[in-house]
Amino acid sequence: MYAKRLDNLPPYLFARIDEMKDEKRRAGVDVIDLGVGDPDLPTPPHIVETLCTAARDPANHHYPSYLGLPTYREAVASWYKGRFGVTADPKSEVITLIGSKEGIAHVPEAFVNPGDVVLATDPGYPVYKTSTLFAEGICHPLPLLEENGFLPDLASIPKDILEKTKLFFFGYPNNPTSAIAPLSFFNEVVEFARENNIVAVHDNAYSEITFDGYTAPSFLEADGAFEVGIEMHSLSKTYNMTGWRLGMAVGNKEIIAGLGRVKTNIDSGAFDAVQLAGVTALTGPQTCVAEACSIYQERRDVLVKGLRSLGYEVQAPKATFYVWLKVDDSMAFAARLLDEAGIVATPGVGFGASGDGYVRFAITRSVERITEAVGRMEGMRR
Ligand SMILES: *Cc1c(COP(=O)(O)O)cnc(C)c1O
């Protein structure tokens, strides 16, 4: 019944954990879900207010423009200027996305021919691989290893792979490893993309979720980045707006135009009222972002300290709302965590083969719940 391309999709490895979670809940267990990469905090009220007002205005009830509302794209450009010192032309170098997932899912359609190779960091956001498969490309995973600070080793990619490579997906601050990348790595990517004629697609969903005074760079700060690539960004994680579906792609004109051509034929843009709320988010006071970060930072400290007190070795992440913990077998550990402690964490292998041996905790629950989780883990066999 289904097309081959659906059969070609990787198995959904989180299904077993999802099933177990439902079973536990049905059995009356108070499950602590540290699995979801979705902020538990609400969207700041000033942003919600703009949506309410804009939703009442009939001018916003029509089809949006394909490329996005000019005021939203201008707000994105001025946010990039203020935040990263990056200059982008809102007309040609910025496009509105219905969440950055949408951009990641569509970009291979514009650049990948059947049989072309797409490089993607592994473990990685699963859409890098599935969007490649939908475009009938071949995904070549780049292992992220702890000894390399979870950065890919670009020099180790075989020449015959590089000759067939069209596109490269990567993202720092990284989901799921929570690793960060210095600007020097982005400079290296620009060189690499230029030499090998590769479209570089940086996924920067977590640049604003940072701790201990760390400020994350944009890929577009790298010299020459506008010649080779684009950056996908999103309001989802920064402003607790996952449900609103609003993001942006910024960077190279031709790449943005290619993505735009695909989108024009598939979707009809993001709701104008949502884009206007996005303008408020990007141009309004940013104290809400600092407050969210301080909440995540406190949670991170409680979880990391707790895990260490139980004898686990774990890094305190400088960014993202994830803690990446080394374990023996990621699937078995996640299953035991749920079975013996009623805690959901995501098995690393679900993000790619190189994620095996890790689990990901999302600190999208309160300090009280995280404290409770650590307490329950004390009773777990190691
Ligand atoms: C959350 C996330 C996204 C997608 O976010 P949107 O809600 O679609 O904007 C993209 N990449 C990574 C790594 C993410 O964690």
Side-chain angles (χ1 to χ4, degrees), residues 72-81 84 86-97 100 103 200-204 218-221 225-234 247-257 259 282:
Y72 174 72
R73 286 186 287 151
E74 280 156 21
V76 167
S78 75
W79 184 78
Y80 259 81
K81 182 82 199 158
F84 300 114
V86 164
T87 307
D89 172 17
K91 287 197 187 67
S92 59
E93 293 172 327
V94 178
I95 190 170
T96 301
L97 298 175
S100 57
V201 179
H202 186 241
D203 180 10
N204 207 6
S218 162
F219 170 61
L220 300 175
E221 288 176 49
F226 274 79
E227 291 162 36
V228 297
I230 61 171
E231 182 161 274
M232 303 287 184
H233 213 304
S234 169
M248 59 278 213
V250 183
N252 178 275
K253 272 189 193 39
E254 285 161 301
I255 303 174
I256 295 288
L259 177 58
L282 293 170

Side-chain angles (χ1 to χ4, degrees), residues 37 97-104 124-125 127-128 171 173-176 203-206 232-237 241-243 245-248 321-322 360:
L97 298 175
I98 310 171
S100 57
K101 181 179 186 176
E102 182 259 305
I104 294 163
Y125 187 59
V127 188
Y128 306 154
N174 184 262
N175 173 15
D203 180 10
N204 207 6
Y206 296 94
M232 303 287 184
H233 213 304
S234 169
L235 277 65
S236 287
K237 314 291 163 56
M241 288 174 70
T242 49
R245 313 311 305 133
L246 189 62
M248 59 278 213
F321 42 59
Y322 304 112
R360 188 195 75 177

Side-chain angles (χ1 to χ4, degrees), residues 18-54:
D18 288 349
E19 253 167 54
M20 281 182 70
K21 176 169 78 179
D22 291 344
E23 260 168 47
K24 285 281 166 198
R25 285 211 167 114
R26 275 197 302 274
V29 175
D30 171 27
V31 173
I32 302 176
D33 194 346
L34 303 178
V36 281
D38 185 350
D40 58 318
L41 308 168
T43 307
H46 66 290
I47 301 171
V48 177
E49 228 20 79
T50 301
L51 175 75
C52 293
T53 310

